[in-house]
Amino acid sequence: MHVMTYSVAAESSRSPDATTLMQALSQRLAAITGDSGNTSYQLDDLDDRRACFAVARDAAGRPLGCGALRPLEGNIAELKRMYAQENSAGVGTAVLAYLERQAQVLGYGAIRLETRRVNERAVAFYLDKGYRVIPNYGRYVGNERAVCFEKRLNDMNKVQDMDIRIDDLRSPEIIGLLEEHLADMYRVSPPESVHALDLDGLRRPEITFWSIWEGEQLAGCIALKELDAQHGEIKSMRTASSFRGKGAGKRLLQHLLAEAARRDYRRLSLETGPQAFFEPARTLYARFGFESCGPFADYWDDPFSVFMTRAV
């Protein structure tokens, strides 16, 4: 399996590589939206002491993508010039994560951005990363083609205090959580329609299992099953009852999507249920861009199954 390695660091926005990346972004935006975006920023904006321009590079030093922060108002930064070359899986995620960390260092409490509604890939990307749609701000007020987003960094800090780790499925906490998970599956679905895996099933070599912790408290778990070299399946996603509504599930999904990108997967799929019990899960998956699909892999048409998928 090919895994791309790269690094992200702050660089001059006036370097030749920066110019090449931003020109490529302008060409892509013009093709998608009809507007290059060149009028929405000035290079001088990035000279501010609370601004940052970042470049992602591969192991050979070749530039793969970029992004920038500039002051917007008060303690709010604006995200600009986000770009990743085609076939550079995970670069956009890495650049955004770097800029979010830099925003915290620079003292910002939130990040805002604008993209065009027609740029569906960008809209899905920011929703995946925990950004929420807000009323259009500044120059975008009244522009029906624009959609604006915001992410509160204080909220992000609370979730980032949780630690995600590969789990060997041997601790009493994780065994108890999975036993609870299986009991619920058999409670709401007939036995022949339960596809949740037990401990032995989750230890199979094609499955990677993660748990998320806040200190010594287990917050949840998730697993990724490799169906083939380009297709993965989400399994055993569960949030501990005391952590529901606190962002643990969202953090696990973000982690899994980033891992799928690093593995060069092209698609992620999952099976869940149609019952009311599963509605929060279906809602979360939909927010992350998953859509209904037919049975995949070894599944079959079943009134007690809902199948969902999305491109990586």
Side-chain angles (χ1 to χ4, degrees):
M1 181 186 302
H2 170 70
V3 178
M4 181 182 293
T5 59
Y6 45 79
S7 60
V8 184
E11 298 189 15
S12 169
S13 60
R14 290 178 168 81
S15 71
D17 284 342
T19 299
T20 298
L21 290 168
M22 287 192 280
Q23 287 175 343
L25 170 62
S26 295
Q27 292 170 2
R28 179 184 292 175
L29 291 177
I32 296 172
T33 71
D35 184 343
S36 68
N38 288 333
T39 62
S40 68
Y41 81 104
Q42 299 292 328
L43 278 181
D44 290 347
D45 295 342
L46 304 182
D47 293 333
D48 190 283
R49 63 180 181 83
R50 298 185 72 204
C52 177
F53 183 82
V55 173
R57 296 181 180 274
D58 65 15
R62 292 182 292 261
L64 302 172
C66 63
L69 290 173
R70 69 177 182 184
L72 183 62
E73 59 180 53
N75 72 336
I76 300 174
E78 186 174 29
L79 187 69
K80 303 298 295 184
R81 301 280 89 186
M82 278 289 295
Y83 172 72
Q85 291 181 357
E86 294 292 342
N87 302 315
S88 57
V91 167
T93 297
V95 170
L96 182 61
Y98 177 87
L99 290 171
E100 288 177 343
R101 291 193 298 271
Q102 288 302 111
Q104 292 174 292
V105 171
L106 292 167
Y108 292 112
I111 296 176
R112 289 181 182 174
L113 66 100
E114 177 271 345
T115 189
R116 295 303 169 93
R117 295 183 185 276
V118 71
N119 194 351
E120 295 178 355
R121 186 173 176 181
V123 170
F125 175 79
Y126 292 117
L127 289 172
D128 284 349
K129 305 309 176 189
Y131 287 75
R132 63 183 182 89
V133 176
I134 61 171
N136 287 7
Y137 61 87
R139 61 179 290 161
Y140 308 112
V141 173
N143 186 343
E144 295 183 355
R145 295 184 300 163
V147 57
C148 294
F149 292 89
E150 181 180 88
K151 186 172 187 177
R152 304 297 303 182
L153 299 181
N154 290 338
D155 293 341
M156 185 180 75
N157 288 341
K158 293 175 184 177
V159 178
Q160 288 185 338
D161 286 341
M162 297 181 186
D163 175 43
I164 297 177
R165 64 189 74 159
I166 293 178
D167 200 293
D168 64 5
L169 295 121
R170 299 191 186 281
S171 73
E173 293 89 349
I174 201 67
I175 291 172
L177 183 65
L178 289 169
E179 287 177 346
E180 176 187 282
H181 179 61
L182 281 171
D184 277 342
M185 298 304 100
Y186 282 100
R187 177 176 58 83
V188 298
S189 299
E192 65 273 14
S193 297
V194 173
H195 302 286
L197 298 175
D198 59 15
L199 289 168
D200 289 337
L202 289 168
R203 291 184 180 125
R204 293 182 61 84
E206 67 271 21
I207 294 177
T208 306
F209 185 89
W210 293 272
S211 55
I212 184 169
W213 300 75
E214 185 177 75
E216 298 299 316
Q217 289 187 287
L218 175 64
C221 62
I222 198 168
L224 177 58
K225 179 179 180 180
E226 181 164 296
L227 299 176
D228 59 48
Q230 295 187 330
H231 193 180
E233 179 185 0
I234 298 174
K235 300 292 294 184
S236 299
M237 184 164 175
R238 180 81 177 193
T239 302
S241 57
S242 60
F243 283 90
R244 288 173 189 163
K246 297 182 178 180
K250 184 193 316 185
R251 177 84 188 278
L252 284 166
L253 265 182
Q254 290 170 342
H255 181 85
L256 189 141
L257 283 164
E259 175 65 18
R262 282 191 290 269
R263 295 184 183 190
D264 287 341
Y265 287 173
R266 292 293 175 263
R267 183 156 296 279
L268 274 177
S269 302
L270 63 96
E271 183 271 343
T272 185
Q275 300 96 318
F277 177 85
F278 297 102
E279 184 176 356
R282 295 194 304 270
T283 299
L284 179 62
Y285 293 133
R287 286 180 56 198
F288 275 76
F290 286 85
E291 299 177 342
S292 296
C293 66
F296 60 91
D298 297 327
Y299 293 106
W300 60 89
D301 279 319
D302 185 336
F304 289 95
S305 285
V306 171
F307 302 101
M308 303 181 77
T309 191
R310 59 157 284 173
V312 176

